[in-house]
Amino acid sequence: MNAKKEAQTIQGTKQEFLKIFREMCYARNAWQVWEDLISATACSLANSTDPDKTNVQYKEREREYAQCIKRLGGVDKPAKCFAIMVEALERDPEQDFLGELYMELNLGNHWKGQFFTPYHICDFMAKITEGDIDGEIEKRGFISIFDPACGAGATLIAAANNAKKAKHNFQNYILFVGQDIDRIVGMMCYIQLSLLGCAGYICIGNTLTNPMEGHVLFPQEKEGQEFWYMPMFRMEVWSLRRMFHCIESMSAQTKKKEEKLEKYYMFFDFKKEETQWEKM
């Protein structure tokens, strides 16, 4: 009963989050606590929707989650922080909740050039670069939006919100892809986009020296990269889209082989060869 009452009183504010967060910092510094909190949250989200409980990544995330929760002193306070994140983005999706907290706590890494673009600027950029979404969806079936230095996801969040305002079903027709060199920051982006119901994935890795490869629906994880797939990307609509893409690719390959064979036959004179065989 008390837990239910407490859940009802959560307002989703930064003040609530910071109060609980600072309680976890009594014996450790803010960066250590933030790292464990974000890691535990990301691992929990990823494993809750991973259909394959036997894969290596699933087991590694389970182990990482358990270690983080142990260092955080139990699951109660991290669970409250997660509830606040959910409520904050539910009440006001047009914000970079974790990114703003990260900068407010002075956790930004200046060696990696971390300075998160304010959300209102990201919103403006999303408006002026939107393009013909309807036309692209009609032509390709979906569109993808990629941020090569995604940070906590403000630019991608703004793109999702603007698509929503334009009455686009971004969950079914827009694929959100981000990459960042910083693992914790990339996880922050993953958490926020997942909670907002976006479909896509985040790649942890250096965009300049180790860019993503493969088709946008089938990214290839390389050495030095780590992929985090959003829950919505595992939904049926995207699973079917990947399946249809495979079928289309197989059909295209078959057609290409047939065309190559036709070109060969164009230079093969059957009558001449038959005559030569008859003489023999």
Side-chain angles (χ1 to χ4, degrees), residues 70-241:
K70 184 178 180 180
R71 289 193 292 266
L72 290 168
V75 73
D76 289 347
K77 285 183 170 60
K80 288 177 183 176
C81 286
F82 179 66
I84 293 168
M85 293 180 210
V86 174
E87 186 65 23
L89 291 171
E90 178 70 25
R91 293 195 178 204
D92 181 16
E94 297 196 44
Q95 63 170 320
D96 178 11
F97 184 73
L98 292 178
E100 289 174 8
L101 281 169
Y102 185 78
M103 299 307 290
E104 191 171 321
L105 289 164
N106 294 316
L107 298 175
N109 187 334
H110 71 279
W111 295 110
K112 293 178 181 177
Q114 285 180 344
F115 180 81
F116 296 159
T117 307
Y119 181 81
H120 67 277
I121 295 177
C122 294
D123 182 54
F124 174 72
M125 291 191 298
K127 284 183 172 70
I128 63 175
T129 59
E130 188 176 77
D132 183 14
I133 293 180
D134 290 322
E136 286 296 312
I137 290 175
E138 188 175 346
K139 184 167 63 176
R140 296 177 53 203
F142 72 100
I143 66 167
S144 59
I145 300 175
F146 174 54
D147 186 347
C150 62
T155 302
L156 294 172
I157 292 170
N161 284 319
N162 275 280
K164 187 177 179 181
K165 288 175 188 174
K167 307 299 181 185
H168 298 298
N169 187 338
F170 68 88
Q171 293 177 325
N172 290 352
Y173 296 106
I174 302 178
L175 189 66
F176 297 88
V177 181
Q179 184 167 355
D180 203 280
I181 195 171
D182 189 300
R183 187 172 189 261
I184 297 303
V185 165
M187 285 180 176
M188 288 157 57
C189 180
Y190 166 76
I191 291 167
Q192 296 199 114
L193 291 176
S194 295
L195 293 180
L196 289 168
C198 297
Y201 48 87
I202 302 300
C203 172
I204 310 300
N206 191 318
T207 308
L208 296 176
T209 61
N210 197 8
M212 284 186 280
E213 292 181 1
H215 189 274
V216 69
L217 289 173
F218 298 93
Q220 298 173 5
E221 188 170 327
K222 301 184 296 180
E223 186 178 350
Q225 292 181 342
E226 182 182 359
F227 277 76
W228 290 81
Y229 296 95
M230 297 166 209
M232 276 299 299
F233 190 57
R234 303 184 190 278
M235 299 300 284
E236 187 177 20
V237 62
W238 290 100
S239 297
L240 288 172
R241 191 165 278 135

Side-chain angles (χ1 to χ4, degrees), residues 266-279:
M266 282 174 65
F267 298 98
F268 191 90
D269 192 334
F270 287 95
K271 290 184 178 180
K272 183 179 178 181
E273 294 300 322
E274 286 172 3
T275 306
Q276 287 180 353
W277 277 103
E278 287 170 1
K279 287 180 181 179

